[in-house]
């Protein structure tokens, strides 16, 4: 490394060290806390169980699900070369990024114990990488990745020197955001010693199809234990005794600080705002001035970053400002920048609840056509609860979002959850007709799936969707069967796949549904419901697609991976979602979610070795469809799940699990045959 490079690195370290002294927030006694002192470790939506289940591990019969234990944001940066962290405004993205840069400049992190859930799970957080230099960049509109680098004195990249490149505020790139990330990834690929961290507003970034190579996690709200510890450490406050800042709305870091400062319980963002505003302003006229300034700053009419610098605070105060303004003004700003203004609209609606102005706001949101109206309907769905013509109009838009694959996948999931609450009108028990005949089965893309060979199946019908929580829940209520799913009976998850099911659970459901559908006349007396045999599952998934060689995978939609076609690892949900959200990924026979979403049980036997099947291909009548095999014999799972990448979320990859095993990524779909 030459002298210029040494000077550049020293400059980066010096800049990062300055972050530690930055003012972070004010305590109730008006004293100021800096970033080095006030930082709260953040968690992400990835659990210890998720990591263990990447390989589909065994779970013993009757075992209860363990409470979720979450990884920290720091650990995700440590463990991945390229990671995107997203969160809502006020979630602590920039604070995390600057504290990370500051700590690296100080020489790294000492191990520290941090809470992983509110059930007393505490694990040490470790940073195991030595000598990493931070390069913190704030993304600016219209600037390319190369221009951002140039603005940092064009730091050279060296394979012998670790560098963490931090791109904060990637939502500012707008439509060029994906290209910005692609260019950053290309740079990282050329320089293996470089790690890449990008942070962005979830309402914007969730709609981007990230370039292959990134992993994305969402920052979680603050735990109550984190809030109690922070208040005691920094302000000597006992939140448990006072009840301050422990409400759900105070889980947002920015709102937590406001609630603690204003002495509010934190049950709603509006109550937090009012308490905080009353304390800092002192009178109504000053409060009105603050709210007007926040509105102007949010609309960029006042370009002064020192005015209410926290975006979440600006949004909450802008909502107060808009109470007395025409509904069209708020909707105009929302349609120009939905990600920035959605929290404003939500807060405004809460303040207008029960008034004629609230109805006017909803009407303005759903008036018109196109994606802007669909987004307006999605937002309006949170504002209207009572059944009636207005809610029916909103529901029609929500159904279009889900059925047509409109908007981004996370927005479709929001629409799906609302439809679940109101009553999803789709026939989620629908069956698809699958033609019998010979087709290509298997692939050389993985040894356990080889060789590709012809197999003949009889005609059958198969579920258009995986079996949902609503359907399986009816079975559980009728039979009192044990079900280990933590959210199986959640009202907003009735149209999501049923999970945490053993192979025996799924077969019991099939027997129950056979009798139920015969009684209803839905199937004939000589038909029955069962799990698919492995060739039937693959036939329904790939149709008549031919094998294209070991390097070409088969997906329900063709031989090329397609963004936004499956709830896979690339989608970033890291959990199940409403069924049917990915119509681009329908199989040739019209089946949804055949890959990604949940691993689906088949009747077919695998063997007792997780790595290598005893029942190899070619498929034959060799006892592999025996239903009375020993409990140690694993059954085949197909399709991958929400944490599977494109190599597993395909038509030919084979998974397996003991019949007494279960996991939140395992589900099933039914077959009807004679």
């Amino acid at each position: 490394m030459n002298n210029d490079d040494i000077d550049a690195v020293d400059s980066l370290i010096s800049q990062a060290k300055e972050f530690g002294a930055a003012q972070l927030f004010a305590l109730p006694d008006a004293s100021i806390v800096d970033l080095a002192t006030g930082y709260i470790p953040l968690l992400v939506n990835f659990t210890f169980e998720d990591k263990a289940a990447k390989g589909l591990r065994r779970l013993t019969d009757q075992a209860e699900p363990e409470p979720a234990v979450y990884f920290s944001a720091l650990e995700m940066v440590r463990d991945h070369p390229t990671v995107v962290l997203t969160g809502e405004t006020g979630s602590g993205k920039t604070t995390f990024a600057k504290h990370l840069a500051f700590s690296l400049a100080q020489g790294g992190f000492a191990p520290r114990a941090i809470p992983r859930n509110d059930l007393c799970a505490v694990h040490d957080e470790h940073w195991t990488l030595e000598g990493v230099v931070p390069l913190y960049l704030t993304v600016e509109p219209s600037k390319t990745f190369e221009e951002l680098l140039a603005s940092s004195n064009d730091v050279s990249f060296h394979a012998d020197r670790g560098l963490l490149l931090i791109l904060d505020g990637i939502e500012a790139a707008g439509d060029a955001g994906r290209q910005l990330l692609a260019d950053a990834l290309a740079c990282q690929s050329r320089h293996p010693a470089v790690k890449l961290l990008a942070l962005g507003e979830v309402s914007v970034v969730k709609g981007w199809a990230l370039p292959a190579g990134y992993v994305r996690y969402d920052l979680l709200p603050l735990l109550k234990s984190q809030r109690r510890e922070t208040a005691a450490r920094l302000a000597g406050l006992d939140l448990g005794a006072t009840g301050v800042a422990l409400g759900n709305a105070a889980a947002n870091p920015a709102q937590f600080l406001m609630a603690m400062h204003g002495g509010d319980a934190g049950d709603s963002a509006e109550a937090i705002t009012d308490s905080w505003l009353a304390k800092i302003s002192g009178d109504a006229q000053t409060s009105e001035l603050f709210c007007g300034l926040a509105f102007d700053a949010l609309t960029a009419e006042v370009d002064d970053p020192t005015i209410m610098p926290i975006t979440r605070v600006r949004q909450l105060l802008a909502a107060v400002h808009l109470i007395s303004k025409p509904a069209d003004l708020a909707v105009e700003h929302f349609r120009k920048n939905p990600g920035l203004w959605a929290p404003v609209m939500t807060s405004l609606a809460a303040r207008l609840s029960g008034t004629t102005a609230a109805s006017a706001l909803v009407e303005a949101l759903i008036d018109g056509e196109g994606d802007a109206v669909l987004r307006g309907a999605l937002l309006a769905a949170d504002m209207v609860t009572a059944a009636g013509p207005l809610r029916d109009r909103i529901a029609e838009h929500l159904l279009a979002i889900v059925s047509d694959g409109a908007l981004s996948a996370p927005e479709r999931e929001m629409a799906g959850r609302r439809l679940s609450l109101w009553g999803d009108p789709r026939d989620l028990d629908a069956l698809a007709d699958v033609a019998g005949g010979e087709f290509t089965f298997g692939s050389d893309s993985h040894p356990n799936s080889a060789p590709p060979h012809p197999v003949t199946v009889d005609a059958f019908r198969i579920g258009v969707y995986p079996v949902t929580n609503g359907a399986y829940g009816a079975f559980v209520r009728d039979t009192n069967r044990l079900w280990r799913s933590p959210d199986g009976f959640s009202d907003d998850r009735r149209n999501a796949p049923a999970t945490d099911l053993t192979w025996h659970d799924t077969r019991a459901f099939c027997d129950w549904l056979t009798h139920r559908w015969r009684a209803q006349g839905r199937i004939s007396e000589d038909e029955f419901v069962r799990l698919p045999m492995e060739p039937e599952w693959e036939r329904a998934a790939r149709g008549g697609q031919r094998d294209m060689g070991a390097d070409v995978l088969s997906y329900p939609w063709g031989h090329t991976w397609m963004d936004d076609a499956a709830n896979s690892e690339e989608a970033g949900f890291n959990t199940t979602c409403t069924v049917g959200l990915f119509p681009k990924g329908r199989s040739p026979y019209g089946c949804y979610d055949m890959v990604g979403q949940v691993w689906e049980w088949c009747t077919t036997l695998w063997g007792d070795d997780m790595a290598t099947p005893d029942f190899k291909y070619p498929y034959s009548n060799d006892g592999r469809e025996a239903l009375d095999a020993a409990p140690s014999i694993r059954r085949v799972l197909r399709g991958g799940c929400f944490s599977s990448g494109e190599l597993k979320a395909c038509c030919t990859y084979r998974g397996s699990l003991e019949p007494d095993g279960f996991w939140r990524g395992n589900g099933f779909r039914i077959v009807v045959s004679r």
Side-chain angles (χ1 to χ4, degrees):
M1 186 180 295
N2 59 39
N3 290 334
D4 288 341
D5 289 336
I6 292 174
D7 290 342
V9 168
D10 289 342
S11 175
L12 291 179
I13 293 175
S14 177
Q15 292 171 16
K17 285 182 177 180
E18 293 177 2
F19 290 150
Q23 296 183 358
L24 190 57
F25 56 86
L27 293 172
D29 64 1
S31 61
I32 302 299
V33 176
D34 62 25
L35 183 141
T37 305
Y39 172 71
I40 306 171
L42 299 177
L43 304 176
V44 299
N45 64 332
F46 188 70
T47 69
F48 286 32
E49 182 187 28
D50 291 332
K51 184 175 182 179
K54 282 286 187 178
L56 284 177
R57 79 274 186 253
R58 176 181 179 176
L59 292 175
T60 57
D61 191 25
Q62 304 300 314
E64 293 295 332
E66 293 294 326
V69 178
Y70 295 98
F71 283 99
S72 71
L74 180 70
E75 290 162 340
M76 294 298 96
V77 177
R78 178 197 67 194
D79 293 344
H80 297 285
T82 51
V83 61
V84 174
L85 295 179
T86 58
E88 63 180 6
T89 54
S91 61
K93 299 182 294 296
T94 294
T95 300
F96 167 73
K98 289 185 174 180
H99 184 267
L100 174 56
F102 164 73
S103 299
L104 292 177
Q106 293 288 101
F109 298 79
R112 57 179 168 182
I114 64 171
R116 307 299 181 129
N117 60 29
D118 270 327
L119 298 175
C120 302
V122 176
H123 296 275
D124 282 351
E125 181 185 58
H126 295 272
W127 177 266
T128 56
L129 307 179
E130 298 291 338
V132 177
V133 176
L135 170 54
Y136 177 90
L137 300 173
T138 300
V139 175
E140 300 176 45
S142 75
K143 273 197 173 183
T144 65
F145 175 71
E146 288 75 15
E147 289 170 338
L148 288 173
L149 279 184
S151 67
S152 66
N153 299 320
D154 197 17
V155 174
S156 299
F157 293 93
H158 293 270
D160 61 345
R161 182 80 189 216
L163 184 76
L164 174 63
L165 176 58
I166 303 172
L167 298 175
D168 193 15
I170 56 175
E171 70 278 0
D175 294 338
R178 192 178 188 279
Q179 185 59 52
L180 177 79
L181 291 178
D183 292 342
L185 182 64
C187 175
Q188 189 274 336
S189 299
R190 293 192 300 270
H191 305 283
V194 174
K195 293 177 71 69
L196 178 59
L197 166 64
L199 306 100
E201 169 65 30
V202 66
S203 62
V204 177
V205 179
K206 69 184 179 183
W208 297 355
L210 298 181
Y214 283 98
V215 295
R216 182 176 79 83
Y217 298 102
D218 295 335
L219 296 174
L220 294 181
L222 294 179
L223 302 170
K224 288 184 179 180
S225 56
Q226 291 176 299
R227 287 176 262 168
R228 285 193 292 264
E229 186 278 331
T230 300
R233 173 170 58 90
L234 299 178
L237 298 178
D238 184 348
L239 299 188
T242 63
V244 169
L246 292 179
N248 290 337
N252 175 287
Q255 291 168 196
F256 162 62
L257 299 176
M258 293 171 69
M260 186 169 63
H261 193 181
D264 190 82
D267 293 329
S268 73
E270 292 65 49
I272 291 173
T273 303
D274 292 344
S275 298
W276 178 80
L277 190 57
K279 183 163 184 178
I280 68 165
S281 63
D283 60 72
Q285 186 175 2
T286 306
S287 293
E288 185 177 347
L289 174 64
F290 283 163
C291 294
L293 287 172
F295 175 81
D296 290 342
L298 207 60
T299 59
E301 292 183 16
V302 176
D303 188 15
D304 186 348
T306 65
I307 297 177
M308 306 294 175
I310 300 176
T311 301
R312 176 63 93 183
V313 176
R314 289 181 176 182
Q315 291 168 328
L316 294 171
L317 296 184
V320 178
H321 176 76
L322 287 167
I323 290 175
S324 60
K325 305 297 189 243
D328 288 343
L329 176 62
V331 173
E332 176 188 352
H333 286 294
F334 168 71
R335 289 186 173 172
K336 288 179 180 177
N337 193 337
L340 181 65
W341 284 85
V344 180
M345 301 294 286
T346 300
S347 183
L348 176 61
R351 292 183 178 279
L352 297 177
S353 180
T355 68
T356 56
S359 297
L361 184 63
V362 171
E363 290 280 2
L365 281 168
I366 62 175
D367 182 35
E369 59 185 19
D371 285 356
V373 172
L374 294 180
R375 286 196 171 90
L378 193 58
L379 186 62
D382 288 330
M383 305 175 185
V384 177
T385 55
L390 190 58
R391 198 177 87 170
D392 291 343
R393 287 174 58 193
I394 295 172
E396 290 178 4
H397 288 307
L398 300 185
L399 182 59
I401 292 171
V402 170
S403 300
D404 299 342
L407 307 185
S408 66
E411 288 170 312
R412 298 199 296 271
E413 168 66 345
M414 291 171 62
R417 286 184 179 245
R418 180 61 60 175
L419 286 178
S420 179
L421 289 169
W422 291 352
D424 195 326
R426 296 174 295 166
D427 180 7
L428 302 181
D429 296 325
L431 299 171
D433 292 316
V434 179
E438 184 180 280
F439 75 105
T440 301
F441 182 58
S443 168
D444 282 321
S445 59
H446 192 279
N448 292 340
S449 305
H453 57 285
V455 169
T456 300
V457 296
D458 295 329
F460 61 94
R461 289 185 288 167
I462 192 169
V464 170
Y465 306 101
V467 173
T468 62
N469 283 326
Y472 193 82
F475 160 67
V476 171
R477 290 187 181 96
D478 196 41
T479 62
N480 293 317
R481 192 176 184 91
L482 174 65
W483 189 16
R484 306 159 185 84
S485 175
D487 62 356
F489 289 108
S490 298
D491 290 341
D492 67 342
R493 300 276 287 158
R494 288 191 289 247
N495 55 10
T499 62
D500 296 285
L501 307 169
T502 70
W503 186 79
H504 298 296
D505 290 333
T506 63
R507 291 195 61 226
F509 172 86
C510 290
D511 292 342
W512 171 83
L513 192 60
T514 295
H515 295 295
R516 187 181 181 92
W517 277 6
R518 283 177 180 173
Q520 295 172 350
R522 181 154 184 170
I523 61 175
S524 63
E525 288 297 321
D526 62 346
E527 289 182 310
F528 59 97
V529 180
R530 57 175 174 81
L531 294 176
M533 294 182 286
E534 193 176 8
E536 291 173 328
W537 188 96
E538 188 167 320
R539 170 68 160 173
R542 75 188 290 178
Q545 292 183 42
R546 310 295 295 179
D547 180 66
M548 303 294 290
D551 297 328
V552 180
L553 294 172
S554 177
Y555 303 103
W557 55 86
H559 290 104
T560 302
W561 178 259
M562 187 164 54
D563 291 331
D564 201 34
N567 180 14
S568 62
E569 182 177 48
E570 288 78 7
F573 279 130
N574 193 37
T575 189
T576 57
C577 64
T578 298
V579 298
L581 287 191
F582 296 88
K584 286 166 57 176
R586 278 192 301 258
S587 80
Y589 292 105
C591 296
Y592 293 81
D593 301 326
M594 292 293 295
V595 299
Q597 189 77 290
V598 288
W599 288 98
E600 298 185 8
W601 284 111
C602 296
T603 57
T604 310
L605 304 181
W606 170 278
D608 58 8
D609 182 358
M610 182 180 72
T612 305
D614 294 331
F615 294 93
K616 302 180 185 297
Y617 287 175
Y619 183 88
S620 64
N621 185 19
D622 55 0
R624 68 180 67 198
E625 296 298 343
L627 299 178
D628 57 353
S632 62
I633 303 301
R634 305 167 74 91
R635 271 63 169 178
V636 168
L637 294 165
R638 283 302 207 104
C641 71
F642 51 77
S643 64
S644 302
E646 59 184 86
L647 298 181
K648 292 184 178 180
C650 66
C651 295
T652 57
Y653 187 87
R654 308 174 75 203
S656 70
L657 192 63
E658 287 93 343
D660 290 328
F662 64 94
W663 179 54
R664 72 183 185 96
N666 282 20
F668 71 113
R669 78 177 66 217
I670 60 168
V671 157
V672 171
S673 66
R674 287 181 167 81

